[in-house]
Amino acid sequence: MVERLAARALEEALQDTPVVLIHGPRQSGKSTLAQAAAKNHFGGNYVTLDDPLILEEARTNPSSFIKGKNPPLVIDEVQRAPELFLAIKLFIDRNRKPGQFLLTGSANVLVLPKVADSLAGRMEPIDLLPFSQAELEVATSNFTDMVFGKDLPAGFHPSSKDDLVQRIAKGGFPEPVQRSSESRREAWFQSYVRTVLDRDVRDLSNVTGLTQMPRLLALLSARSGSTLNISSLSVDTGVPHTTLTRYIDLFKALFLVHLVPAWSANVETRLAKSSKAFIVDTGLLCYLTGMDAKALATDALRFEPALKTFVANELQKLSSAGRVKPWLFHLRTVKQKQVDFVLEARDGRVVGVDVVAGHAVSNDDFEGLRFLAELTGARFHRGVILYDGDEVVSIGPHLVAMPITALWSP
């Protein structure tokens, strides 16, 4: 079994927090992690709200349900019964012992009405996204910690274009990662999208026009890595602006889409403020855009945004699991100077990361990173270009090009 980066955070949270929530997209491994915790910490006291009888009991009389299950307790797919949260709050307020409840959710329950308020100060959320490449390769280092460190390794494991294409096409969901056949992966993603949009959307919100949501998700996939332009999407889909905003909020709540906000600084430079939208998994992106490994390998116009989505997803996973835990942003000015990703540590240090879809880098490729260095001054720690090459190339004391394998090299 693949060891999850989130497992350590879960162990720590259970020691001092009454309620811990593991949330992330459906089929990302939450139940597996929760069942292991149930065995090790909860005496096997585990229930899942995927069971219709248990779900009915939880919704009908939540207080009796909680008391009758004799916490400490693991509750899987808790978003299906938001009525439980107030009952959990009342139970916790009578006994603030840590590690009493472990919850999992395939929807971000923190966006549900009253949930965030009812468990404020009582619950710690832990993201569990699809496998990172570092988890699959059992890497002992974390890229985000490494780039904020003093020295960088002299080299990384080499990789081929074919290997990179396969990693992008498979994505990180546990089930399709194990399937070697593209047709079988496609079948899994087809079922996955149907389940999420037909079932989970209805669990989370009463919406109309569900037939429009698959098309909208496909359009967002085709534009993954672009700035989110609701007006343009409204024109292309014929869906009103307000309705689109609501749909995208649902996609975010279901962990299908994540936004990378625009970075800003206390400077007079005019910076673009729109967030970039990324599909949460490149395997899902390839399915939704009808792109297989061959298309990725031969179509440069489609490969580059898929590669940047791949990097965005890896950075999101690694940022939450390391010691530094930087915030993830992007930078673009109105004059089109840009840096793909800006990592900002809690102490204010900044690392810029650009992605080049090629086997070599040139001096011009560092233009955006030099601009970021000028903006941030002493806060600028390092500028990194990730590219499809094999060598570490240093351009000055704080600028370096690194193979993309640095994201997962042991």
Side-chain angles (χ1 to χ4, degrees), residues 27 47-48 51 65 80 203 228 281 351 355 393 395 402-403:
Q27 295 294 317
V47 296
T48 175
D51 184 316
F65 177 87
R80 306 202 71 198
D203 283 345
L228 184 59
D281 180 78
V351 169
V355 181
V393 182
I395 309 291
M402 303 165 64

Side-chain angles (χ1 to χ4, degrees), residues 181-305:
S181 164
E182 286 190 346
S183 63
R184 296 305 304 148
R185 289 200 297 270
E186 181 179 352
W188 187 90
F189 282 117
Q190 182 180 36
S191 174
Y192 181 85
V193 172
R194 183 184 300 118
T195 299
V196 171
L197 297 186
D198 287 354
R199 170 182 165 179
D200 292 349
V201 166
R202 288 187 173 92
D203 283 345
L204 193 62
S205 177
N206 293 319
V207 297
T208 58
L210 287 178
T211 55
Q212 298 170 318
M213 296 192 80
R215 182 175 175 228
L216 175 58
L217 188 58
L219 275 174
L220 288 171
S221 298
R223 301 179 184 188
S224 184
S226 301
T227 53
L228 184 59
N229 188 326
I230 301 294
S231 297
S232 175
L233 281 171
S234 181
V235 170
D236 290 344
T237 61
V239 178
H241 191 285
T242 53
T243 303
L244 273 178
T245 300
R246 189 180 182 196
Y247 285 178
I248 291 170
D249 285 343
L250 282 170
F251 289 150
K252 289 160 56 183
L254 292 168
F255 301 96
L256 295 173
V257 172
H258 68 99
L259 302 186
V260 173
W263 182 84
S264 62
N266 294 323
V267 293
E268 295 180 358
T269 305
R270 296 178 64 195
L271 303 176
K273 301 299 183 182
S274 298
S275 296
K276 287 187 175 181
F278 292 91
I279 296 298
V280 73
D281 180 78
T282 51
L284 179 60
L285 180 151
C286 288
Y287 165 73
L288 289 168
T289 57
M291 184 165 48
D292 59 13
K294 182 178 179 181
L296 273 175
T298 57
D299 189 338
L301 291 178
R302 303 179 79 184
F303 175 73
E304 183 172 2

Side-chain angles (χ1 to χ4, degrees), residues 89-160:
K89 174 188 181 294
L90 294 173
F91 188 94
I92 290 297
D93 286 348
R94 296 188 186 101
N95 184 351
R96 294 288 295 238
K97 286 173 56 179
Q100 295 208 68
F101 292 92
L102 174 60
L103 315 175
T104 80
S106 295
N108 188 348
V109 298
L110 299 180
V111 304
L112 294 173
K114 301 182 181 179
V115 168
D117 291 337
S118 66
L119 290 175
R122 304 168 179 86
M123 181 174 74
E124 179 174 337
I126 295 174
D127 295 341
L128 190 73
L129 299 170
F131 287 144
S132 67
Q133 298 302 310
E135 288 171 321
L136 292 171
E137 297 298 330
V138 198
T140 56
S141 63
N142 182 298
F143 174 83
T144 58
D145 289 343
M146 177 178 64
V147 294
F148 277 99
K150 182 178 180 181
D151 299 313
L152 296 175
F156 298 92
H157 288 180
S159 179
S160 66

